[in-house]
Amino acid sequence: SDLQKQEERGELLQPLIFVLLVLCSVLLYFKVSLMDPGFVKSEEEAKAGNSEEQSMVIPQIPSNIKMRRCGYCMVKQPMRAKHCQLCQHCVRRYDHHCPWIENCVGEKNHPLFVAYLSVQLVVLLWGGHVAWSGLYVEQSWDWLQHNIFLLMSFLLIVIFTIVVLLLLISHLYLISCNTTTWEFMSHHRISYLRHSELENPFDQGVILNLWRFFC
């Protein structure tokens, strides 16, 4: 049959890889949106948990800086944590609240969020290539009537590709500097940055910043 011939020629491999990438993108989306981004636990919850695990998660705070209590949920905020009024929780290493995933991006799900953006970008570029390959531009009304949906799909893919690309580039840049979107945008309002002698006290060099974030 034609399907067997296409399989023998390897023509089904590319569609299979594309479907697997789309599936991976969907799974990453649900994983990032549903997982705990790094909510700060109260003293009671922290004591009930594994003390060794907690010591690995909570960053060491210099003695000259005191942990403050959040004015909303009344938990002790570690450095780089911020209260999200949409999630009603303080989030460790808070980056931003993403409306697309309806969840905060923080210490625990930030690497997976970057992975999701990367896979999504590959899917969009591939889909844009497929849509473009099906377009044969002709300046006629009949052509437009038959290709309007394909043309609109291509333009929509281009818009989303630009958005995802810019978002991914900005996150990789901030990660390479060991800073977050919140810290970058609100540097003048954050006490531990405003009173620091260094512009970015967390920066340890691009390679080490990337290594500690992803590994």
Side-chain angles (χ1 to χ4, degrees):
S1 64
D2 292 339
L3 192 61
Q4 288 178 332
K5 291 179 181 179
Q6 287 178 339
E7 185 179 0
E8 291 173 359
R9 293 195 298 265
E11 294 177 2
L12 297 180
L13 183 61
Q14 286 190 0
L16 179 61
I17 294 174
F18 181 76
V19 170
L20 290 175
L21 281 172
V22 172
L23 181 61
C24 179
S25 174
V26 173
L27 291 176
L28 279 171
Y29 172 84
F30 283 109
K31 177 67 175 176
V32 173
S33 63
L34 296 176
M35 73 180 295
D36 175 5
F39 294 134
V40 180
K41 295 181 180 179
S42 63
E43 286 88 335
E44 292 78 12
E45 291 174 321
K47 288 177 182 177
N50 189 330
S51 58
E52 182 179 353
E53 182 182 349
Q54 289 297 320
S55 63
M56 292 173 63
V57 173
I58 299 176
Q60 296 298 316
I61 299 188
S63 57
N64 61 332
I65 297 179
K66 297 180 179 179
M67 290 178 67
R68 66 172 188 173
R69 281 197 180 275
C70 173
Y72 296 97
C73 54
M74 301 307 295
V75 299
K76 284 186 177 180
Q77 277 189 341
M79 190 182 293
R80 311 191 79 178
K82 182 183 181 297
H83 183 86
C84 175
Q85 297 197 29
L86 294 173
C87 292
Q88 294 297 312
H89 282 286
C90 286
V91 180
R92 298 182 184 278
R93 202 180 182 277
Y94 176 86
D95 188 86
H96 71 288
H97 183 92
C98 181
W100 302 107
I101 63 173
E102 294 185 0
N103 195 11
C104 282
V105 176
E107 183 179 73
K108 289 186 177 180
N109 65 349
H110 199 171
L112 281 178
F113 180 74
V114 174
Y116 164 69
L117 290 178
S118 303
V119 174
Q120 190 63 52
L121 181 62
V122 173
V123 170
L124 287 168
L125 289 172
W126 197 332
H129 172 71
V130 172
W132 177 256
S133 64
L135 283 174
Y136 298 95
V137 181
E138 295 179 8
Q139 295 182 353
S140 66
W141 178 247
D142 289 336
W143 177 88
L144 186 62
Q145 281 184 316
H146 287 91
N147 292 272
I148 183 65
F149 291 109
L150 186 59
L151 184 61
M152 290 176 63
S153 299
F154 176 74
L155 293 176
L156 197 62
I157 289 173
V158 169
I159 292 171
F160 279 116
T161 301
I162 294 172
V163 171
V164 173
L165 179 62
L166 292 176
L167 194 58
L168 179 61
I169 290 174
S170 65
H171 273 274
L172 290 176
Y173 169 74
L174 294 174
I175 292 165
S176 68
C177 300
N178 196 1
T179 189
T180 63
T181 303
W182 173 59
E183 291 172 341
F184 182 77
M185 300 295 292
S186 306
H187 189 280
H188 61 286
R189 292 192 293 144
I190 302 173
S191 58
Y192 59 81
L193 295 178
R194 188 174 68 247
H195 298 143
S196 174
E197 296 178 358
L198 301 173
E199 184 176 353
N200 181 9
F202 307 110
D203 188 6
Q204 297 180 311
V206 175
I207 295 176
L208 192 56
N209 290 339
L210 292 173
W211 174 263
R212 290 196 169 185
F213 181 84
F214 288 107
C215 305

